[in-house]
Amino acid sequence: MMKIGVIGFGVVGSGVYEVIRKNRESIARKAGQEVDIKYILDIRDFSDHPEKELFVKDFDTMVNDAEVGIIVEVMGGLDPAYEYTKRALCAGKHVVTSNKELVATYGDELLALANKNGVSYLFEASVGGGIPIIRPLNQCLAANEISAIVGILNGTTNYILTQMFKNGKDFDVALKDAQEKGYAERNPAADVEGYDACRKICILSSLAFGKHVDYREVYTEGITALTLRDIAYAEEMGCVVKLLGYSKLLDDGRIDIKVAPMMIPNEQPLATVSDVYNGIQVRGNAIGDAMFYGPGAGKLPTASAVVADVIDIAKAPERAGRVMWVRTDEKLVLPADEACASYFVRVETADKNAVSVSAKAEFDGATIIDKFDNELGILTGCMSEGELKGKLSNLPGKVIGFLRVLPQA
Amino acid sequence: MMKIGVIGFGVVGSGVYEVIRKNRESIARKAGQEVDIKYILDIRDFSDHPEKELFVKDFDTMVNDAEVGIIVEVMGGLDPAYEYTKRALCAGKHVVTSNKELVATYGDELLALANKNGVSYLFEASVGGGIPIIRPLNQCLAANEISAIVGILNGTTNYILTQMFKNGKDFDVALKDAQEKGYAERNPAADVEGYDACRKICILSSLAFGKHVDYREVYTEGITALTLRDIAYAEEMGCVVKLLGYSKLLDDGRIDIKVAPMMIPNEQPLATVSDVYNGIQVRGNAIGDAMFYGPGAGKLPTASAVVADVIDIAKAPERAGRVMWVRTDEKLVLPADEACASYFVRVETADKNAVSVSAKAEFDGATIIDKFDNELGILTGCMSEGELKGKLSNLPGKVIGFLRVLPQA
């Protein structure tokens, strides 16, 4: 019998409870032993819960109980999750988490601490909700050297973008719709500004490339500036616009990593990932491209990933403590201005002809898209962002903005 | 140091050799020990190979060598792969295979034999080429009870269907094209008649539902009868036609399982899987729907899956021998006539009006599609295949054929 303690009885915590109760038999069969919840830690009152005797208010109760083998940390945030996790690992408990902020910030330290104490620190649920991606990267694709990861990692923004595309809703209207459906928080910044996707692409990159990628160094652009005109241009170009986490290992060992809305040609698999779904594409030197698709958030999908980690530990508790990435002093992240791509640029102008002539001179082989009054769209060839910005300042018009086109790997 | 013996130096075997040579360092890091090839068994002459000393012609050499820990069986077919696998497992060697025919036929027996001998029998490469699907089903989705699996499991037929759809090629022309590109065999029956997909959906179903599903009991229909008219109807209905392996666990414990070309609405994720790619959708009671996408065949992708299994064993050889499914006497497979779906029916007739009136009477709420001379298309509501066939015989016209519409899960 493997007994677990759950920290946090919010959406994910209550989902973990539900999955463990509902699938008790099949979980026991797969884990090779019964898995049961001994404690649930939450500061709120659950005295009317059918299993109210499980609830405790003091972390000491579970961390000091020798019967507890796994602590499931699904409270989110750094404080007190960071301290609790360290104490649990030091007490010889395995820890399973869905906490992307904690893994992105202290993953290297917590993995090393787990290793030192002969226990596991697993975090399948921190990226992609229920989609299996951490274990596939770490295990199923172990024969590959991974060269790139591109993902739609945030369901909220993907829902908003899908509404803009399919139903012609403005960003503000689509956001409000997402909030009403419970897909977006009242304060949506973490999603729409790309911060959530940034934590996730950093976790995936750290895992794939073996070195801690600090999310504070990663260029992050959200979707708040996108308008229906951008969408209209994308449709004309046979593309969709998706908020992507993009990470590519370069030959010199640096990583071209960013979060930004990008144009993706319709025929690419990621272009078909709609609504609140997530999709993560991985390129390996043996498999080529694989994609993992599914619900990127939600109570039961996320709980599914948490409980899979719990089963994995229960099945073989002794197989633990493998450090998966280390912190280095190297300058890992390629400066944004050195990254190369094609770009879609919008320029406001009363003199389309002048802008068109200038764009063709500045951007060799550029495609001009004339679709609206008083502005032109320009699709450039491949160049660095630094070069792009220099050339944009030469155009005889006002640059409204630009979008990257997903580079061919 | 984990030493392996490879049986068969064809496409997959030479890919395994290449991946192990190319990614030697990262494989050693992930496996926790070096992995090297000690023998390659092939009856052909490789005396001009740069590592010709690895080649042997006698299975006894590798199975009797105590240094060999894992035998990689990538020769395909039942004879002598079945005997070699049994001998290897009995000699205490782990076995990794890409041999779908062997796993589909004797999987239960070989898994039990592995269990008895305290070793592993792993077969990630037997389904979906490089796509991680066996381990996700078995491990990443372990918190779920799986209720359905639907997959595009054969790259050859998917390429042919994509050519028919996108380039308007006839089946025969598309097949010839696939043969010229090396995607189809000179004798293409195993692919185009659906036999290959049938082995694979049976392996996935056995794994997901825990009971051996005998492929000889599974209704299997290929794509040889499809014409460009079927494609034209599908387009008109906002669908594509894909060869699907379909498997759904029913409430009474039986399995609705079949291989057949089906209509899929364009907005479904599987509809977007084109060319030689495979896509496998899995429904679990916690995650909902997840999809795994990637190259379903090919030298390096398949080798990627084989070597992932090798690494898994090398990382923890003691964690082995878990039986994953058993053979039962139950009638597991639902008779084809009892399975329910909507259907698209084509009827040849000189009197469209009579067929239309009759179809509307027979099929409550049927949609009539009038697109070609001398025939009508009918989209029916949901009913059993037995019921469908009864009603079709009442129509005043000649039934050209029918296609199932992918049932909503």
Side-chain angles (χ1 to χ4, degrees), chain A residues 23 26 30 130 132 139-140 142-145 269 272 285-287 289-291 293 295 300-301 304 307-308 312 315 319 322, chain B residues 23 26 30 130 132 139-140 142-145 269 272 285-287 289-291 293 295 300-301 304 307-308 312 315 319 322:
Chain A
N23 297 344
S26 64
K30 289 168 193 164
Q139 207 173 342
C140 309
N144 291 262
E145 295 186 356
T272 66
N285 71 346
I287 192 177
D289 285 328
M291 189 177 80
Y293 167 94
L300 293 183
S304 159
V307 177
D312 214 38
K315 198 156 58 174
R319 182 183 173 179
R322 184 173 300 277
Chain B
N23 296 344
S26 63
K30 290 168 192 164
Q139 206 173 341
C140 310
N144 291 261
E145 295 186 355
T272 65
N285 71 346
I287 193 178
D289 285 329
M291 189 176 82
Y293 167 96
L300 293 183
S304 158
V307 176
D312 214 37
K315 197 155 60 173
R319 182 185 172 178
R322 186 172 300 276

Side-chain angles (χ1 to χ4, degrees), chain B residues 193-253:
Chain B
E193 301 291 356
Y195 308 145
D196 175 82
C198 181
R199 304 297 191 277
K200 292 170 175 170
I201 192 67
C202 286
I203 293 173
L204 296 177
S205 302
S206 299
L207 188 66
F209 308 137
K211 293 171 183 170
H212 186 81
V213 179
D214 189 334
Y215 65 82
R216 289 165 299 193
E217 295 176 14
V218 172
Y219 176 80
T220 302
E221 178 183 324
I223 62 166
T224 52
L226 286 178
T227 68
L228 289 175
R229 287 206 170 180
D230 296 305
I231 306 292
Y233 280 113
E235 281 177 339
E236 170 123 3
M237 291 157 60
C239 290
V240 292
V241 179
K242 295 289 185 186
L243 182 66
L244 296 182
Y246 176 89
S247 179
K248 186 181 177 190
L249 184 64
L250 304 175
D251 289 339
D252 65 7

Side-chain angles (χ1 to χ4, degrees), chain B residues 156 159-160 162-164 167 169-184 275:
Chain B
T156 306
Y159 178 82
I160 292 172
T162 304
Q163 288 298 314
M164 291 174 76
N167 300 327
K169 292 186 185 169
D170 262 329
F171 172 80
D172 291 334
V173 177
L175 170 61
K176 193 145 175 277
D177 173 22
Q179 286 171 320
E180 277 163 9
K181 288 208 162 60
Y183 297 150
D275 298 319

